[in-house]
Amino acid sequence: MYLAIEDTEPFLEDVKSNFNDSVSVTEGENFIPELYAQNDVSPEPLAAEIEYDIMYDTKSIFADNKTFKFEHGPLETFEPFFAYQGQLSANFLGNNYSTKYVEPTAEIGFIGKFREQPIEYKFLVNFLPTKGYSYLQSMFKDDFITLKYIPHNDITIGSFRTPIGVEGGVSGYTLPFIARSQISRHFGSIRGVGFKVNGDYSLIEYNLGVTSSGRQWKNMFQGAEFNGWVNVKPLGKTDGKYGQLKIGGGINAGHREHDYSVVGAYLSYKYKKFAFDAEYAVSHGSNGLAGLTRNNAQGFYTTLSYNITKKLQVLARYDIFNHDMAVSGLKDIEYTAGINYYIKGSALKFMLNYVFCQSTYKQNSNRIILGTQIIL
């Protein structure tokens, strides 16, 4: 449940954005979801990583008690899955004032492994409707199989979240804040139908794939797009002694009615209880969560976080977005401060955010948001 208390206009009432996050979770330190990452049951973090990777521990609360193991037949394991995020808004202003901040999601599905082959599967649906889409269009989410024949590499085929930016390509269940950054909720946070290859080595990791440019099963096969992201890890051979450093970049380019492309860059550093990351993206047309557009836009965010204990985390973010570089005065700057309390990793947590939005084209706004999520 999310409780939002707001005292001025919504952030992007004049800009199309749809906060429909669903499950696709990062595996430990992997920057883009893969197998256990994508089936929302990530492995327990290494002892040296626990202090700053608690958000990635999404192993469901009852995972050990609800996994079925078979001695015969094509399936080795089968595990039901349920996750919920919702919102409850309080409105203290006029009737024309919107308090919408995120779309509620309630997702159910199953994950597991095949017996004779190194193949894993996931099927996930959201049974809550999404504004602007038919029920079937918003229903199907992560539905794929993952082939694990090559060491350090996975091949995923089906419908999955694509790596348009780092934050835009991971699950909302592992985000440090209740809402994504502005570049993520405009350019990314979408799924495509196709295939991708995910590789993870000590000094480099990558996610490369080709998908349909259609979105939400609404515009199928109107074109194709390439999605690629690569991170280098200069400290990957030091066993975390000096922390973890990632420097990366990527591109999303395709065609749907017209050509579009989004190019991004990323930097992150984690050391014990401290974490920092920054991401920049610029578009020449885009096809993300905010919809298909010809606008040339750009944005940047940076986040600082510190884990006071293994369960309590404080964090802050600076986030700026220019909606159209051809038009002056279309910028939003968001300042966010937050406190997270992880009862059982991200499978059961409470979040408190304060957000101040400074806008160049509408009234400034403030929000206090209390959120929680549960993964069973």
Side-chain angles (χ1 to χ4, degrees):
M1 178 183 70
Y2 290 125
L3 174 63
I5 304 174
E6 309 170 274
D7 66 359
T8 55
E9 292 188 27
F11 290 113
L12 299 174
E13 194 67 19
D14 301 328
V15 182
K16 295 169 64 178
S17 70
N18 182 341
F19 293 76
N20 181 29
D21 288 331
S22 61
V23 183
S24 177
V25 176
T26 321
E27 177 183 4
E29 272 300 286
N30 287 350
F31 74 114
I32 294 294
E34 271 317 309
L35 162 58
Y36 258 91
Q38 291 182 8
N39 64 27
D40 296 288
V41 185
S42 57
E44 295 294 335
L46 300 175
E49 300 175 344
I50 287 177
E51 291 189 293
Y52 51 76
D53 275 347
I54 49 178
M55 72 178 68
Y56 295 113
D57 180 12
T58 56
K59 185 177 182 180
S60 62
I61 297 175
F62 303 115
D64 295 335
N65 298 321
K66 63 185 179 66
T67 299
F68 297 91
K69 298 181 179 181
F70 306 99
E71 296 182 359
H72 306 285
L75 299 183
E76 179 180 339
T77 63
F78 176 92
E79 180 184 338
F81 178 88
F82 174 80
Y84 175 77
Q85 284 184 333
Q87 67 173 355
L88 176 63
S89 297
N91 183 1
F92 297 102
L93 299 180
N95 292 331
N96 62 341
Y97 181 75
S98 171
T99 58
K100 175 183 174 183
Y101 192 59
V102 292
E103 289 281 357
T105 59
E107 299 167 337
I108 190 169
F110 51 83
I111 56 181
K113 302 178 182 180
F114 286 91
R115 178 178 304 281
E116 300 297 334
Q117 302 293 333
I119 302 175
E120 298 167 332
Y121 62 89
K122 176 181 179 182
F123 180 81
L124 180 70
V125 296
N126 173 31
F127 54 82
L128 292 183
T130 301
K131 185 177 180 180
Y133 297 96
S134 70
Y135 189 79
L136 289 179
Q137 288 168 353
S138 62
M139 179 179 179
F140 295 101
K141 298 300 177 184
D142 292 334
D143 307 298
F144 55 79
I145 60 171
T146 299
L147 313 179
K148 305 178 72 67
Y149 289 94
I150 306 173
H152 301 284
N153 287 268
D154 299 334
I155 300 174
T156 300
I157 303 172
S159 172
F160 47 81
R161 192 180 291 275
T162 56
I164 305 177
V166 172
E167 190 194 69
V170 299
S171 168
Y173 291 97
T174 63
L175 294 179
F177 295 100
I178 293 174
R180 296 181 186 273
S181 66
Q182 295 185 82
I183 60 173
S184 299
R185 64 195 194 229
H186 282 83
F187 300 151
S189 191
I190 54 86
R191 288 171 174 77
V193 178
F195 72 91
K196 66 177 179 178
V197 178
N198 187 86
D200 188 8
Y201 296 85
S202 59
L203 296 177
I204 190 172
E205 58 191 14
Y206 51 83
N207 190 310
L208 310 171
V210 175
T211 58
S212 166
S213 62
R215 298 291 184 250
Q216 295 286 148
W217 304 95
K218 187 175 183 179
N219 306 100
M220 291 297 296
F221 306 113
Q222 290 193 337
E225 66 179 19
F226 169 79
N227 307 288
W229 196 277
V230 178
N231 280 340
V232 295
K233 300 181 284 188
L235 303 177
K237 295 288 188 179
T238 63
D239 296 325
K241 181 179 180 180
Y242 305 104
Q244 299 182 5
L245 174 66
K246 292 186 181 182
I247 305 170
I251 185 172
N252 163 250
H255 178 86
R256 181 183 143 202
E257 299 180 15
H258 58 79
D259 294 339
Y260 58 86
S261 64
V262 178
V263 178
Y266 180 73
L267 173 67
S268 74
Y269 178 71
K270 299 179 180 180
Y271 183 72
K272 295 184 178 179
K273 299 180 179 182
F274 169 82
F276 157 84
D277 70 338
E279 187 171 0
Y280 169 80
V282 58
S283 73
H284 296 279
S286 59
N287 187 24
L289 189 61
L292 180 67
T293 178
R294 295 180 182 270
N295 290 354
N296 296 335
Q298 67 176 344
F300 168 83
Y301 75 86
T302 183
T303 300
L304 292 172
S305 66
Y306 182 80
N307 290 356
I308 298 175
T309 70
K310 294 180 180 180
K311 292 183 178 292
L312 184 63
Q313 179 186 56
V314 294
L315 57 163
R317 178 170 68 189
Y318 171 82
D319 181 2
I320 184 171
F321 189 78
N322 186 338
H323 299 279
D324 190 345
M325 292 185 290
V327 180
S328 62
L330 284 178
K331 293 182 180 179
D332 284 323
I333 304 176
E334 296 180 2
Y335 305 87
T336 306
I339 300 175
N340 295 331
Y341 186 72
Y342 298 86
I343 299 175
K344 189 183 184 300
S346 283
L348 183 60
K349 69 177 180 180
F350 292 99
M351 310 171 74
L352 177 65
N353 290 176
Y354 166 74
V355 188
F356 172 68
C357 179
Q358 183 180 9
S359 179
T360 61
Y361 63 97
K362 59 186 177 183
Q363 188 178 6
N364 294 342
S365 63
N366 293 268
R367 284 185 173 85
I368 295 177
I369 310 148
L370 175 64
T372 186
Q373 69 184 35
I374 183 170
I375 302 175
L376 300 178

